[in-house]
Amino acid sequence: MTKYIGKVWLVGDDIDTDLIIAARYLNDASEENMKKHCLEDVIPNFIDKVQKGDILVAGKNFGCGSSREHAPFAIKAAGISCVVAKSFARIFYRNAINIGLPIVIAPEAVEGISTGDNIEVDVKQGFIYNSTTGQEFETETFPPFIQEIIEAGNLLNYVRNRVKSDG
Amino acid sequence: MGMTISEKILAAHAGVEEVQAGDLINAKVDVVLSNDITGPVAIQEFRKLGVEKVFDKEKVVIIPDHFAPAKDIKSAEQCKVIRDFAREQDLTHYYEVGQMGIEHCLLPEKGIVAPGDLVIGADSHTTTYGALGAFATGVGSTDVAAAMATGEVWLRVPETIKVVLKGKPQNPWVVGKDVILSLIGRIGVDGALYQAMEFAGEGLKYLSMDSRFTIANMAIEAGAKNAIMAFDELTRDYVVGRVHKPYVYYHSDPDAYYVQEIEMDLGSLKPQVAFPHLPSNTRDIDQVGDVAIDQVVIGSCTNGRMEDMRTAAKVLKGRKVHPYIRLIVIPGTQEIYQKCIKEGIVDTVIEAGGVFSTPTCGPCLGGYMGILAKGERAVTTTNRNFVGRMGHPESEVYLASPAIAAASAIKGKICSPENL
Ligand code: SF4
């Protein structure tokens, strides 16, 4: 899938991995536990409010801090379909791609989006349409190699295909 | 065109003559690291690949350090996952409680990382090994799973920022921690996003290996992909007797390309303190004002090395910790712990009224061994002061060097040893 339509949750700059999923919960990596505490220190009771398919929109340097894959995993587990940000911290960026959480870098678009807006994100064509305001923005697209990982679903599928074809 | 150290290491590991910033490469790794938090996830993903054995049992390293010695049943289960896997795969470098230390203190000490190596670790502070002249970067558990199976990782060759250190520290308490905090304060928590940070200049020779590890460790706090320092006499002295494999070391070419050059004067640098809730929120020690605290932690992969322990002891010697303060000192490894016993540092800490713990990450990530209650403040030598990092979301963490942390423990508020 390369197109996501959903309601927006907007968060600020430098949202770190401890805010996405606090280290105190990392002694249990289960989907249930990750989901339950996702973003709880940023948006109180987030998990009770978020709906499947919603889109998370963030300022700059989203996901800075630790390498924990639990962070994109928690966001995915919470039902978020796609994350749009002005920029991503690099390990978060890799992790999201590797686990198959769609992410988009779109500094201009973020300025024109508010919580509650309905937006449409096309990862492949590289645009975001805000149907609440009627604005449309261009976004960056991924280089071909990363596109291949995304098309395989995640890094493991991609590696598995390669391990197999190597015999 | 010439290449930087980072580019040379990446080219060598991708099996090509030359790489340029922006290239996507598949590179062979020398060390694949994970721990008791990221390891279990990596192992679970590794199993899904249907591969029986890791690519090289000498190169896959797993360390139980975050919640170990296990703090509760769930942590014990996570430690058991990595222990069972290490035994099944007969890993050379698995260190059990009793031999383990905080991973980024332990790997250099054991000589597992050599200059010129390519290291990936499912831990963001993997950047630490850049101090040895290795290309070392943090990745996620899935990357580690893939690398444990194939021995390879995909990487985008980063642009390099050159940080030129000038002069010699004049303030007797200035160490690597102050250099890196001051730099992060200047460029921000995303000031080096996706980029390599190369530390150069004549000032480097005044910084000990322990200080250099601290600097490389916190490069990630500016968003950097890796930190790197050229091999010199100090590096050689450090690796002799530790590293037993052959290694190659590199220097940047004079015509190598840098996206940016930053100069830093060590002569005028003062001890730094990073205020909540970002490591970039730094101030000179004399601009801190009156900040009363509740707890002090000296340790972590940033400042849990021998020099840090010695500095703390020097400040604490013959003094008493403020009665309202809890001082927790945690050496990075068993070797450091033993040296602290032999040098009388453990006695000094206990006589001053502090706690001396077995090596663990513990409070650094709000795990255990010193969690903060609502409204409490801590001065710590760790690397992150994010909201809730050391406990309650309404607690506060101030980052500083061991000297400042120890002095603050005595005074009960943030201060320099000069003000004791
Ligand atoms: S000491 Fe802290 S920063 Fe270092 S590896 Fe442990 S938890 Fe991470």
Side-chain angles (χ1 to χ4, degrees):
Chain A
M1 201 163 77
T2 55
K3 206 171 184 176
Y4 307 91
I5 302 174
K7 191 163 70 66
V8 167
W9 292 93
L10 182 70
V11 294
D13 291 342
D14 302 316
I15 297 292
D16 61 71
T17 47
D18 280 275
L19 284 174
I20 298 171
I21 181 80
R24 58 184 179 275
Y25 303 120
L26 299 184
N27 60 352
D28 173 5
S30 69
E31 184 165 350
E32 206 36 53
N33 192 46
M34 291 296 103
K35 178 176 162 180
K36 197 161 103 198
H37 300 292
C38 181
L39 287 167
E40 68 176 19
D41 293 339
V42 184
I43 305 169
N45 306 319
F46 180 63
I47 199 59
D48 301 331
K49 300 176 190 161
V50 65
Q51 280 176 2
K52 198 170 165 49
D54 283 358
I55 296 172
L56 188 65
V57 178
K60 69 177 181 70
N61 204 24
F62 184 78
C64 60
S66 100
S67 68
R68 70 189 67 145
E69 209 159 282
H70 310 69
F73 181 72
I75 292 172
K76 203 176 171 188
I80 292 289
S81 63
C82 162
V83 186
V84 179
K86 286 188 186 171
S87 64
F88 291 92
R90 65 159 283 276
I91 308 180
F92 185 93
Y93 177 95
R94 301 187 64 91
N95 286 346
I97 289 165
N98 286 346
I99 70 159
L101 171 70
I103 55 171
V104 179
I105 301 172
E108 282 169 22
V110 172
E111 295 288 349
I113 298 175
S114 316
T115 291
D117 286 0
N118 276 298
I119 64 170
E120 185 181 327
V121 182
D122 192 316
V123 201
K124 197 155 189 180
Q125 306 294 327
F127 74 83
I128 295 177
Y129 175 64
N130 186 337
S131 57
T132 306
T133 63
Q135 283 175 301
E136 191 171 322
F137 304 91
E138 274 189 31
T139 66
E140 280 182 29
T141 53
F142 291 114
F145 170 73
I146 293 180
Q147 198 70 46
E148 276 178 51
I149 298 178
I150 293 169
E151 268 156 34
N154 56 44
L155 180 69
L156 284 188
N157 288 343
Y158 175 80
V159 171
R160 199 179 296 123
N161 296 342
R162 277 188 43 211
V163 175
K164 264 193 210 133
S165 60
D166 286 355
Chain B
M1 188 156 79
M3 289 194 285
T4 63
I5 312 176
S6 296
E7 288 160 357
K8 287 182 185 182
I9 296 176
L10 291 178
H13 287 79
V16 295
E17 281 291 308
E18 199 182 290
V19 296
Q20 272 182 7
D23 291 356
L24 276 168
I25 57 164
N26 243 325
K28 293 208 177 334
V29 293
D30 298 301
V31 176
V32 183
L33 168 71
S34 60
N35 56 48
D36 56 317
I37 290 183
T38 58
V41 179
I43 291 164
Q44 180 194 319
E45 299 301 301
F46 175 84
R47 302 274 188 221
K48 290 186 194 157
L49 285 170
V51 180
E52 290 277 310
K53 286 279 167 196
V54 297
F55 81 106
D56 187 335
K57 74 187 188 69
E58 304 266 334
K59 295 182 178 171
V60 173
V61 181
I62 311 184
I63 313 287
D65 57 358
H66 280 63
F67 295 147
K71 73 157 180 135
D72 58 16
I73 296 171
K74 284 174 177 167
S75 309
E77 306 274 341
Q78 297 204 132
C79 289
K80 186 166 186 306
V81 171
I82 59 174
R83 178 180 308 122
D84 290 349
F85 184 76
R87 285 188 191 154
E88 169 202 307
Q89 299 285 329
D90 191 24
L91 301 186
T92 312
H93 298 296
Y94 168 75
Y95 295 89
E96 192 50 84
V97 168
Q99 292 150 42
M100 69 77 163
I102 300 172
E103 54 202 273
H104 309 307
C105 298
L106 192 68
L107 268 64
E109 183 185 286
K110 297 274 182 207
I112 297 168
V113 177
D117 273 358
L118 174 59
V119 182
I120 60 163
D123 192 278
S124 58
H125 295 101
T126 301
T127 55
T128 309
Y129 318 125
L132 292 167
F135 188 101
T137 187
V139 296
S141 294
T142 299
D143 285 304
V144 162
M148 288 199 300
T150 63
E152 291 180 2
V153 65
W154 69 267
L155 292 169
R156 180 186 166 280
V157 178
E159 286 81 18
T160 299
I161 297 183
K162 188 176 189 178
V163 182
V164 183
L165 304 176
K166 304 210 144 173
K168 184 181 175 181
Q170 297 302 317
N171 184 304
W173 301 104
V174 161
V175 284
K177 185 62 162 281
D178 306 299
V179 175
I180 190 67
L181 282 179
S182 158
L183 181 63
I184 298 165
R186 254 171 81 178
I187 67 174
V189 288
D190 59 353
L193 196 56
Y194 306 119
Q195 296 172 334
M197 246 190 199
E198 182 173 324
F199 290 85
E202 90 310 335
L204 203 55
K205 67 171 181 278
Y206 303 113
L207 298 169
S208 67
M209 276 315 288
D210 284 1
S211 262
R212 294 179 187 187
F213 283 124
T214 307
I215 293 175
N217 175 276
M218 284 193 73
I220 176 68
E221 265 33 272
K225 180 168 205 152
N226 69 305
I228 198 112
M229 297 177 196
F231 186 90
D232 66 4
E233 282 308 307
L234 275 184
T235 334
R236 188 188 311 271
D237 290 349
Y238 184 88
V239 299
V240 167
R242 295 185 197 272
V243 173
H244 300 294
K245 57 185 179 185
Y247 60 85
V248 196
Y249 54 87
Y250 303 89
H251 287 96
S252 292
D253 294 324
D255 59 341
Y257 168 72
Y258 295 96
V259 273
Q260 194 188 348
E261 264 197 47
I262 301 173
E263 281 192 7
M264 264 192 89
D265 176 30
L266 300 184
S268 59
L269 187 63
K270 294 178 183 166
Q272 301 288 304
V273 177
F275 275 51
H277 290 285
L278 284 177
S280 55
N281 210 356
T282 53
R283 295 190 199 169
D284 287 352
I285 185 71
D286 47 18
Q287 300 298 315
V288 163
D290 236 4
V291 183
I293 53 169
D294 304 282
Q295 177 169 300
V296 170
V297 176
I298 299 175
S300 86
C301 62
T302 311
N303 285 115
R305 298 189 181 77
M306 208 52 225
E307 179 182 274
D308 305 314
M309 298 292 123
R310 287 183 184 135
T311 304
K314 195 168 149 192
V315 176
L316 293 170
K317 184 94 190 159
R319 295 190 167 108
K320 289 277 178 218
V321 169
H322 188 281
Y324 294 169
I325 303 293
R326 314 176 295 263
L327 167 67
I328 300 164
V329 183
I330 311 178
T333 66
Q334 292 288 73
E335 188 183 310
I336 297 168
Y337 197 154
Q338 248 186 333
K339 276 194 196 156
C340 286
I341 294 174
K342 290 195 182 129
E343 293 185 16
I345 292 173
V346 177
D347 279 341
T348 302
V349 171
I350 294 175
E351 278 159 19
V355 163
F356 203 93
S357 156
T358 197
T360 181
C361 292
C364 171
L365 78 162
Y368 67 119
M369 271 298 293
I371 303 303
L372 300 174
K374 184 173 173 176
E376 286 192 322
R377 290 198 187 119
V379 175
T380 92
T381 67
T382 55
N383 44 48
R384 292 194 172 130
N385 53 354
F386 299 153
V387 171
R389 175 72 178 179
M390 201 171 264
H392 195 279
E394 286 170 41
S395 60
E396 293 183 348
V397 175
Y398 295 73
L399 307 174
S401 69
I404 299 298
S408 306
I410 292 160
K411 196 89 171 187
K413 55 186 185 187
I414 302 178
C415 76
S416 158
E418 285 162 6
N419 302 328
L420 287 178

